[in-house]
């Protein structure tokens, strides 16, 4: 009987601990990305992200805590830094492609052309279409 009580307490303690750790993880993402947390969770490694205002783009590379963007110049930027300029969130769009794209062959105009041809699918979009 004592073994069952101890085992139950240990299982409950691990469950509570796991719940607290999961909550802290979600708070870390929300604190860093704010309104961009949806973009963090919905994007995948290899997705193409385009800042429509600055015309910067790159491929998303995610780990368990951050989403980095690898640009054409082989710079690695945080997702937040690519999307925000002067403290304001710019219009952006995240694309996914079935085929592998070479970043050295891409330009902003080529990406928009691929979008018009439906060669890449829009995963996330914010801002107003003109």
């Amino acid at each position: 009987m004592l073994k069952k009580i101890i085992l139950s307490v240990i299982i409950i303690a691990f469950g509570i601990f796991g719940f607290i750790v999961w909550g802290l993880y979600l708070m870390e993402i929300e604190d860093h990305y704010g309104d961009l947390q949806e973009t963090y969770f919905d994007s995948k490694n290899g997705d193409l992200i385009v800042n429509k205002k600055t015309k910067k783009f790159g491929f998303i590379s995610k780990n368990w805590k951050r989403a980095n963007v690898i640009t054409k110049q082989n710079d690695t930027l945080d997702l937040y830094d690519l999307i925000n300029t002067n403290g304001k969130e710019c219009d952006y769009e995240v694309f996914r492609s079935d085929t592998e794209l070479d970043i050295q062959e891409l330009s902003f105009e080529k990406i928009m052309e691929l979008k018009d041809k439906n060669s890449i699918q829009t995963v996330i979009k914010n801002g107003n279409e003109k």
Side-chain angles (χ1 to χ4, degrees):
M1 179 72 170
L2 184 62
K3 287 182 180 181
K4 288 182 181 180
I5 293 172
I6 292 173
L7 184 62
S8 297
V9 168
I10 290 173
I11 290 172
I12 291 170
F14 273 118
I16 291 171
F17 178 75
F19 183 73
I20 290 170
V21 168
W22 181 251
L24 291 173
Y25 166 73
L26 294 176
M27 281 176 41
E28 166 72 21
I29 299 300
E30 201 275 329
D31 285 346
H32 184 73
Y33 290 111
D35 292 340
L36 292 175
Q37 66 181 329
E38 178 184 338
T39 304
Y40 173 83
F41 287 117
D42 291 346
S43 63
K44 293 183 179 179
N45 281 330
D47 284 353
L48 181 64
I49 186 164
V50 177
N51 182 326
K52 293 181 178 180
K53 181 178 180 182
T54 63
K55 297 187 179 183
K56 288 185 180 179
F57 59 91
F59 288 110
I60 295 175
S61 173
K62 288 175 58 175
N63 60 32
W64 71 282
K65 205 168 141 178
R66 294 287 182 256
N68 295 311
V69 178
I70 302 167
T71 65
K72 190 172 185 173
Q73 295 78 21
N74 284 330
D75 290 338
T76 302
L77 301 172
D78 188 74
L79 174 69
Y80 184 85
D81 296 331
L82 181 81
I83 299 302
N84 291 293
T85 55
N86 298 329
K88 288 190 168 186
E89 186 177 307
C90 297
D91 293 347
Y92 67 92
E93 203 163 346
V94 178
F95 300 102
R96 192 167 293 151
S97 174
D98 294 332
T99 60
E100 190 170 325
L101 301 171
D102 183 14
I103 197 161
Q104 297 303 324
E105 296 175 1
L106 292 176
S107 65
F108 180 80
E109 291 76 22
K110 172 113 180 176
I111 293 169
M112 292 301 119
E113 182 181 311
L114 289 171
K115 176 187 171 188
D116 292 340
K117 291 181 182 178
N118 292 326
S119 297
I120 54 178
Q121 297 81 32
T122 300
V123 180
I124 303 163
K125 176 164 82 173
N126 92 328
N128 299 324
E129 283 295 309
K130 295 179 180 179

